[in-house]
Amino acid sequence: MLKMAEDVKKVVPTDKLFRKGDNITYKGTIYTRKNKRQVIQGIVDYVTPYIVGVRESSGQMQTFTAVDLFTGDVKIIGSEIDLFAMLLGLENDPAV
């Protein structure tokens, strides 16, 4: 059976959600650490359509992908930018 266009979910490119310099907090799996599921807080160091690099205050670089966000492996807890407003195309401006 064919799926309707509304039923198909698509991966949102990460460069539409984040900008370099954003301060974000997210929960994700880090396989190189003893406690694999951790909360990471840092500043976005680089953004491509598929990968986001976040530098922690310790200097350690962590990355996640657009697919990680799509599947729920990474959950954004806090951000300076309201992600819902970004998806709707609204600016982060109180006058809007």
Side-chain angles (χ1 to χ4, degrees), residues 74-94:
V74 169
K75 295 186 189 321
I76 302 299
I77 298 170
S79 175
E80 290 177 349
I81 297 173
D82 181 14
L83 294 177
F84 187 69
M86 290 281 296
L87 287 171
L88 293 176
L90 303 174
E91 292 296 322
N92 192 15
D93 184 45

Side-chain angles (χ1 to χ4, degrees), residues 43-57:
I43 297 174
V44 175
D45 198 43
Y46 65 89
V47 179
T48 69
Y50 303 105
I51 299 174
V52 176
V54 177
R55 187 165 306 276
E56 295 178 278
S57 60

Side-chain angles (χ1 to χ4, degrees), residues 16-31:
K16 302 232 185 266
L17 300 173
F18 304 101
R19 293 184 303 235
K20 184 177 178 181
D22 287 348
N23 190 1
I24 66 169
T25 304
Y26 70 94
K27 188 172 189 176
T29 303
I30 302 173
Y31 294 103

Side-chain angles (χ1 to χ4, degrees), residues 2-9:
L2 293 175
K3 288 188 175 187
M4 299 300 289
E6 301 88 34
D7 294 338
V8 178
K9 289 184 177 180

